[in-house]
Amino acid sequence: MIPFNIPPYVPKCSEYVSQAMANRKICGDGPFTKRCSEALERMTGAPRALLTTSGTSALEMAALLMDIQPGDEVVMPSFTFVSTANAFVLRGADIVFADICEDTLNLDPRCVQAALTPRTRAVVPVHYAGVCCDMDAINAIAAEHRLKVVEDAAQAVGSLYHGRPAGTLSDVGCFSFHETKNYSMGEGGAVVLNDAALVERAEIIREKGTDRSRFYRGQVDKYTWQDVGSSFLPSELNAAYLLAQLEEMADIAAARMRRWEQYHEAFAALEARGAVRRMYVPEGCIHNAHMYYLILRSQEERAGLIAFLRARDISAVFHYVPLHSAAAGRRFGRFHGEDRNTTRLSERLLRLPMYYDLGQEACERVIEAVYDYFERRNAK
Ligand SMILES: *Cc1c(COP(=O)(O)O)cnc(C)c1O
């Protein structure tokens, strides 16, 4: 059986979790959390990165930090995970879904521009499949209209945009360390704070609205309620598990990239025949091999291929049901303009197995099975 995902694990995960347990203090913001923050700050060069309990809570923190108020409009793709929208819906915002680009499936800056109203307060680009959005264009629109930008970089840990790390291309970047992502602590995430002026408030929001972080640093003699907030800090056990992977990041990234390249080279011929469209990575983007997907010719062909692969013990999946078409999406948002790409592409996208432990032979088996499907279809 070749599963769709196996969560990343390195032997040091167990070692570090044991150490965290031996410390007998596993609440948040201990030594492992600190080392994770430092590793993320080194990787991104951002003034501060704070671990959170999930990518979802990182987005919630970002929405709080950006002071999103009821009635504010927030522009984002409909082709994304529910958390991108929920974080802002929780603040009372109205979600305005804009269409995606045909080639990258990322937010189309022209559609963002068209969706703006006097109530627009923020834009949330999602770096789908670890390929960065056209941030130069999005940031230019944001600067002109004084909008906040929050990157949903949940899938883009380690990706680069013209040499700059994903998560550092906006006011606040949000990472996920869910077990489906490149680096995992089971459930977890991080906010990347790119404006030093946001750091203190972020620490307060993350610590139930108190200045406990300042207290621990000896800057105040007691900690008190300062602001709105919640509990966004993960346990040391989770941080220890993550730290092991952050320390092995180069190795994990290289292993994923080998499999990504293997798929990509193998499917060039299938693309040339017009059977599929491969993932596209624009000039200037270095992705993190988070995902390998194909765009098929039709939804029926996708269903057929999924069933065909399943019969060969290979698990391939799809996502997302466009948010604007879902019950909550209709309630909390609206799609601006024509849906030219979102629904059409989401119906035809197929994700192939991709994970750190995926071996070359398993990858080859997936490739052969996909080719086999199309040979048989043609033979009919
Ligand atoms: C995974 C993901 C999230 C949510 O992250 P969690 O850690 O699962 O809460 C948000 N946005 C996108 C685009 C994601 O892929």
Side-chain angles (χ1 to χ4, degrees):
M1 174 75 197
I2 303 177
F4 170 68
N5 179 52
I6 296 177
Y9 173 84
V10 292
K12 251 197 324 193
C13 289
S14 300
E15 193 189 309
Y16 282 2
V17 169
S18 300
Q19 280 180 28
M21 284 169 70
N23 290 345
R24 297 284 291 271
K25 231 177 101 50
I26 59 165
C27 73
D29 280 342
F32 286 102
T33 304
K34 188 157 183 278
R35 285 163 71 187
C36 284
S37 287
E38 286 164 359
L40 293 172
E41 285 155 15
R42 269 196 305 278
M43 180 189 93
T44 57
R48 195 89 171 92
L50 299 171
L51 280 195
T52 60
T53 45
S54 61
T56 301
S57 58
L59 286 157
E60 289 174 15
M61 271 191 70
L64 281 162
L65 267 171
M66 296 297 103
D67 261 327
I68 299 298
Q69 301 294 320
D72 288 350
E73 288 183 351
V74 178
V75 181
M76 65 180 64
S78 172
F79 184 70
T80 183
F81 190 57
V82 293
S83 297
T84 320
N86 262 329
F88 295 88
V89 169
L90 280 167
R91 307 261 57 78
D94 296 327
I95 308 300
V96 179
F97 297 110
D99 208 4
I100 50 174
C101 302
E102 157 121 63
D103 54 5
T104 56
L105 279 62
N106 276 336
L107 195 56
D108 186 334
R110 291 165 303 182
C111 301
V112 172
Q113 175 79 51
L116 301 181
T117 75
R119 288 205 282 136
T120 312
R121 278 291 312 284
V123 186
V124 189
V126 178
H127 303 314
Y128 183 66
V131 176
C132 287
C133 293
D134 182 352
M135 292 305 293
D136 287 342
I138 290 168
N139 282 332
I141 295 167
E144 190 185 332
H145 299 274
R146 295 167 183 273
L147 309 175
K148 306 286 188 190
V149 182
V150 172
E151 286 165 271
D152 182 338
Q155 301 179 6
V157 177
S159 299
L160 299 174
Y161 176 77
H162 297 293
R164 294 161 61 204
T168 68
L169 311 165
S170 62
D171 296 294
V172 184
C174 302
F175 287 159
S176 168
F177 300 117
H178 186 258
E179 70 169 30
T180 51
K181 302 303 200 287
N182 292 27
Y183 311 97
S184 171
M185 52 200 278
E187 302 283 350
V191 281
V192 180
L193 303 158
N194 298 309
D195 178 353
L198 292 174
V199 171
E200 189 166 302
R201 179 142 190 259
E203 289 178 345
I204 288 168
I205 287 171
R206 179 169 167 273
E207 264 283 17
K208 299 99 183 161
T210 73
D211 56 354
R212 185 136 100 184
S213 299
R214 257 182 290 180
F215 171 69
Y216 280 141
R217 287 195 294 262
Q219 293 163 330
V220 286
D221 62 357
K222 60 181 184 304
Y223 70 88
T224 58
W225 190 19
Q226 302 287 322
D227 201 340
V228 292
S230 189
S231 182
F232 288 121
L233 65 168
S235 152
E236 277 281 283
L237 292 179
N238 300 65
Y241 200 91
L242 178 67
L243 181 67
Q245 292 170 41
L246 295 181
E247 289 182 353
E248 312 268 318
M249 204 166 183
D251 181 53
I252 294 173
R256 293 186 78 107
M257 191 54 81
R258 283 194 290 274
R259 295 293 82 82
W260 194 96
E261 297 283 1
Q262 189 179 344
Y263 278 135
H264 204 59
E265 281 164 29
F267 290 128
L270 201 57
E271 183 177 67
R273 275 160 44 185
V276 299
R277 208 196 80 200
R278 293 181 303 162
M279 251 181 93
Y280 169 73
V281 183
E283 198 64 38
C285 288
I286 294 181
H287 69 96
N288 61 353
H290 171 62
M291 187 189 301
Y292 198 86
Y293 70 77
L294 293 170
I295 304 285
L296 305 185
R297 285 177 296 208
S298 70
Q299 198 168 13
E300 297 70 50
E301 202 159 63
R302 177 175 76 180
L305 179 51
I306 290 173
F308 186 88
L309 293 174
R310 191 180 308 122
R312 274 155 192 71
D313 280 335
I314 296 166
S315 172
V317 303
F318 62 83
H319 69 174
Y320 296 109
V321 175
L323 296 184
H324 74 281
S325 71
R330 289 199 301 270
R331 191 161 143 218
F332 298 120
R334 61 182 168 83
F335 195 97
H336 181 87
E338 195 190 338
D339 171 9
R340 288 162 77 174
N341 295 322
T342 300
T343 300
R344 191 172 62 86
L345 293 174
S346 73
E347 286 172 352
R348 291 161 40 200
L349 177 134
L350 182 69
R351 306 168 66 192
L352 298 177
M354 171 58 84
Y355 45 89
Y356 173 49
D357 288 314
L358 181 64
Q360 183 173 4
E361 278 163 35
C363 192
E364 191 55 42
R365 239 184 79 201
V366 178
I367 292 163
E368 276 170 18
V370 171
Y371 267 94
D372 215 17
Y373 173 72
F374 285 102
E375 306 289 317
R376 281 173 202 225
R377 254 185 105 85
N378 290 342
K380 266 189 222 156

